[in-house]
Amino acid sequence: MRRFLITAADSAFGIALIERMCKNGLEDVEWIYGTYFDAKEQLDVLTEAYPELKEKLILRGVDMTDMDEIEKLNDDLEGRDVIT
């Protein structure tokens, strides 16, 4: 099973990447961890269009200019066995 970390998942690139993954099928995807800053609504539209994504997508709001938030993100990723 594959795992993905997509920082700025709410960006045009992040949205397009997640949508492409959905179109290709998520059968071999364990989870997709996406960080967003201020455009979560676009990610909500994707989960409505691709219901199977709801089970795979883990979202976390992170302000990448705030070191405390970055450290919390790092701790969460280490808890998921993601080496950062």
Side-chain angles (χ1 to χ4, degrees):
M1 296 294 273
R2 299 183 306 160
R3 299 174 179 176
F4 296 91
L5 169 62
I6 303 174
T7 57
D10 59 340
S11 68
F13 178 79
I15 295 290
L17 180 60
I18 295 170
E19 186 168 26
R20 175 181 243 177
M21 294 167 69
C22 290
K23 288 180 179 178
N24 289 335
L26 298 173
E27 296 82 19
D28 66 339
V29 174
E30 183 177 351
W31 48 256
I32 302 167
Y33 193 107
T35 65
Y36 66 91
F37 181 63
D38 63 358
K40 184 178 179 291
E41 304 81 34
Q42 295 175 8
L43 295 164
D44 292 339
V45 168
L46 268 183
T47 58
E48 288 177 24
Y50 301 97
E52 66 276 12
L53 181 60
K54 289 179 186 180
E55 299 172 13
K56 309 278 184 170
L57 186 60
I58 302 162
L59 292 175
R60 182 181 184 102
V62 178
D63 178 355
M64 292 294 196
T65 65
D66 183 328
M67 284 305 295
D68 288 335
E69 287 191 35
I70 293 170
E71 288 177 15
K72 288 176 186 174
L73 170 64
N74 191 42
D75 291 343
D76 191 22
L77 291 173
E78 285 177 358
R80 296 177 186 279
D81 294 327
V82 176
I83 298 170
T84 56

